[in-house]
Amino acid sequence: MFLERELATVNDEQLARFEAIEAELEIRNLIARYCFAMDDRDVAAIPDLFTKNARVWSGDGVKDSRGRDTITTMFEGRFAVLGATNHIIHQAVIVIDGAGRARGTVSSHAEVYRNGRQQIAGVRYEDVYEKEDGAWRIADRKMLYLYYTPVELYPGILGTRDRNLTYDRPIPADVPEGTKTFIDFEEQRQRAATAA
């Protein structure tokens, strides 16, 4: 009875703020569920994480899968070359764009045993989330790498741009050097150095 009286006094702005907070908490839970599904090889849980027409892709061009079934198959292929993994979320900025749509930037790292070597990866996810069938799901996930390296090569890895070392040849890192603010900062710094 008390809750019903309190809810009756809630105005539209308060209700919208409450719904945004609820959405953000649900999305944070979704992000965590993704990590546990990856680490536990919970293939059955993967489809529920993504919208029907979701896309999972990477800045390095290695991954690009669309649709739940294709995404699930892609992850099963990745699991085939992995030993144990540990995905860790550090921080996430979630922006609610409106009813049923949000976007997020998620900072994380992953400890992996890949192709017979212990490796570590710094990963940033650029996400779009949508509410589908009553649940928040990932509609688009772009994986950007700060580094992906065997642990023995980790010391000093941030001193070079070619920090994605998990493939046959080194690949330049996606972040932060590929972000607009980093590019703008470097151009301004170079202009200042030239003018001096």
Side-chain angles (χ1 to χ4, degrees), residues 85-160:
T85 60
N86 186 30
H87 287 74
I88 301 153
I89 298 301
H90 298 295
Q91 57 261 348
V93 176
I94 309 297
V95 177
I96 307 301
D97 290 328
R101 189 158 174 92
R103 57 198 149 84
T105 301
V106 181
S107 174
S108 68
H109 88 269
E111 302 166 346
V112 302
Y113 193 78
R114 186 175 191 279
N115 291 330
R117 294 177 85 177
Q118 179 70 35
Q119 300 191 35
I120 187 167
V123 185
R124 184 180 297 181
Y125 301 116
E126 293 290 341
D127 289 342
V128 175
Y129 313 102
E130 292 178 358
K131 199 160 191 178
E132 184 180 80
D133 300 327
W136 283 98
R137 302 178 199 283
I138 300 166
D140 190 278
R141 170 159 277 187
K142 184 177 183 182
M143 299 178 182
L144 301 168
Y145 293 97
L146 170 65
Y147 57 82
Y148 198 150
T149 182
V151 292
E152 66 271 15
L153 301 177
Y154 179 75
I157 194 68
L158 296 178
T160 178

Side-chain angles (χ1 to χ4, degrees), residues 9-28:
T9 64
V10 171
N11 64 37
D12 290 343
E13 181 183 337
Q14 291 169 320
L15 182 59
R17 290 176 66 193
F18 173 78
E19 288 172 347
I21 291 168
E22 183 179 52
E24 181 176 336
L25 290 173
E26 289 177 17
I27 290 167
R28 288 181 184 278

Side-chain angles (χ1 to χ4, degrees), residues 66 78 87:
R66 296 166 195 258
R78 291 187 72 203
H87 287 74

